Amino acid sequence: MTELRNMEQELRRFQRRVWVAGGFVLLAFACLLVRLVVLQIVRHDFYFEQAENNRTSVVPIVPHRGWIVDRNGVVLANNYSAYTLEVTPAKANGQDLDALIAELSKILPIEPRDIRRFKKLRAESNSFESIPLRTRLTDEEVARFSANRYRFPGVEVQARLFRRYPLGDVASHVIGYIGRINQKEKEALEEASEETQENYRGTDYIGKLGIEQRYESELHGITGVEEMERSAGGHATRRLGTASSQPGKNIVLSIDVKLQKLVEDMFGDRRGALVAINPENGEILAFVSKPTFDPNIFVEGIDSESWKALNESIYRPLLNRALRGTYPPGSTYKPFMALGALELHKRSPDTIVYDPGYWMF
């Protein structure tokens, strides 16, 4: 028996399906259109910036730190350029750092002191920071590492500027020293103004003591930037633009370093302090605290043994005796007592006091 179909009903059913399918397709295209508008118009600036950040990178140009000189132009602190071997733990592909250093020591001389300093700096830094392992590499050592660089992910040779104190321990309490920025100083910089934060991008060192600390903002200079275009592999391909850095200002002290050294030499191994002041204008000509210390050992990061030797020494070389030492005033107070007696009319200029060397109370 043949089934008779209702062709009109079938046609209406087919048309409904076509309309539903067509509506679904139109809805899908409408969603795509809305999304396209959002991406291309509404959030254009955001995604353009994201794309530019993927394509370009802004590299800070750290300024040259200003020099410190005495009243006669004798250099007390300056800079020199050197190659450093640096490790970025986050880029080491999970390799054990001790094993990495052991392998590196097979091609470059790495002293126990270098390893101790590296571990100390590692404890104070995060895994994304580049930490120096060896400093002042020779050209031969740079070439030797470059030939083996593929074996050491996360290890790079960088050209850095280092601080130098040519006269060593002379006037060390006056000049002070610089050192790597620690966690506390990082937090302080993060709480500073946005301008200050930008100015310390890429900066690893900061004044810790003395003139280096007191005049940090003047000595630091203004950080520049270099915009580089990167390849898909993250390598720089060309420079897009540069804003040059401005070197820090030079600081000229009233100290006469020849007089400073003469007084320090006269102290010999004795402890004490002396400040020589020009009575005509109040300028400090010599500012001595003995014993002294060599600020150069702090520049690359002092190792724990050297720090312990300085910090626990019975002679306390880090103590600035001229500022923080407490001593009996001795006879230095007598002229002021005499001036006070004259001012209060307790004594007259003609008063004569017999001094047999004692006073009976």
Side-chain angles (χ1 to χ4, degrees), residues 73-113:
V74 178
V75 177
L76 305 178
N78 61 4
N79 312 302
Y80 71 95
S81 180
Y83 291 112
T84 66
L85 184 70
E86 302 186 4
V87 180
T88 305
K91 296 180 180 179
N93 294 343
Q95 188 174 356
D96 180 66
L97 293 181
D98 290 333
L100 179 68
I101 293 171
E103 286 297 313
L104 281 168
S105 64
K106 294 177 181 178
I107 61 172
L108 293 175
I110 299 176
E111 302 294 332
R113 179 180 180 275

Side-chain angles (χ1 to χ4, degrees), residues 45 47 56 64 92 133 153 155 160 172 188 203 206 215 217 222 228-229 236 261 284 297 309 338 349 360-361:
D45 293 340
Y47 287 111
T56 63
H64 291 199
L133 176 60
V155 183
R160 302 283 189 184
S172 57
T203 299
I206 197 170
Y215 291 96
S217 58
I222 299 176
M228 302 295 293
E229 185 176 58
K261 189 175 186 311
I284 306 297
I297 64 176
M360 188 67 69
F361 180 70

Side-chain angles (χ1 to χ4, degrees), residues 20-237:
V20 170
F24 179 77
V25 171
L26 287 175
L27 180 63
F29 272 106
C31 291
L32 287 174
L33 182 63
V34 170
R35 184 61 178 163
L36 186 64
V37 170
V38 170
L39 293 177
Q40 295 293 328
I41 300 175
V42 178
R43 305 199 67 188
H44 170 269
D45 293 340
F46 172 77
Y47 287 111
F48 179 78
E49 183 180 351
Q50 293 287 86
E52 283 297 301
N53 289 339
N54 290 332
R55 186 180 70 90
T56 63
S57 62
V58 177
V59 181
I61 304 174
V62 180
H64 291 199
R65 194 172 179 86
W67 292 15
I68 301 175
V69 299
D70 85 333
R71 66 187 301 119
N72 299 312
V74 178
V75 177
L76 305 178
N78 61 4
N79 312 302
Y80 71 95
S81 180
Y83 291 112
T84 66
L85 184 70
E86 302 186 4
V87 180
T88 305
K91 296 180 180 179
N93 294 343
Q95 188 174 356
D96 180 66
L97 293 181
D98 290 333
L100 179 68
I101 293 171
E103 286 297 313
L104 281 168
S105 64
K106 294 177 181 178
I107 61 172
L108 293 175
I110 299 176
E111 302 294 332
R113 179 180 180 275
D114 298 324
I115 298 174
R116 289 195 300 268
R117 184 183 64 227
F118 174 81
K119 289 182 176 180
K120 179 176 182 293
L121 295 174
R122 173 76 180 90
E124 297 173 352
S125 310
N126 62 51
S127 60
F128 296 97
E129 291 186 65
S130 180
I131 305 168
L133 176 60
R134 261 288 312 278
T135 58
R136 290 180 285 188
L137 272 67
T138 64
D139 291 339
E140 180 184 346
E141 289 172 335
V142 171
R144 198 183 310 153
F145 171 78
S146 299
N148 293 273
R149 181 181 175 277
Y150 68 94
R151 297 168 47 197
F152 304 102
V155 183
E156 299 281 350
V157 169
Q158 302 283 356
R160 302 283 189 184
L161 276 177
F162 288 90
R163 199 63 161 168
R164 173 169 53 196
Y165 303 98
L167 300 183
D169 61 356
V170 176
S172 57
H173 288 94
V174 179
I175 304 166
Y177 58 85
I178 68 169
R180 285 184 69 89
I181 298 175
N182 58 35
Q183 189 59 38
K184 184 178 180 181
E185 290 159 340
K186 284 179 186 175
E187 292 172 359
L189 287 173
E190 289 171 359
E191 294 174 0
S193 65
E194 186 176 345
E195 182 182 357
T196 301
Q197 292 180 38
E198 287 295 318
N199 199 34
Y200 276 85
R201 283 187 61 198
T203 299
D204 296 321
Y205 297 87
I206 197 170
K208 301 279 188 176
L209 195 70
I211 296 296
E212 292 278 28
Q213 181 188 44
R214 173 62 181 82
Y215 291 96
E216 167 63 28
S217 58
E218 289 83 358
L219 288 165
H220 178 266
I222 299 176
T223 299
V225 292
E226 190 173 53
E227 188 176 9
M228 302 295 293
E229 185 176 58
R230 296 184 301 184
S231 65
H235 301 291
T237 56

Side-chain angles (χ1 to χ4, degrees), residues 271-316:
R271 288 172 285 178
L274 181 143
V275 180
I277 304 175
N278 184 343
E280 293 183 356
N281 52 24
E283 288 183 346
I284 306 297
L285 302 177
F287 189 96
V288 176
S289 176
K290 289 284 288 186
T292 57
F293 62 92
D294 185 358
N296 288 296
I297 64 176
F298 289 92
V299 173
E300 300 173 21
I302 186 170
D303 62 87
S304 56
E305 289 187 4
S306 299
W307 171 251
K308 184 177 179 181
L310 283 173
N311 205 37
E312 297 181 4
S313 170
I314 60 171
Y315 301 109
R316 303 181 71 188

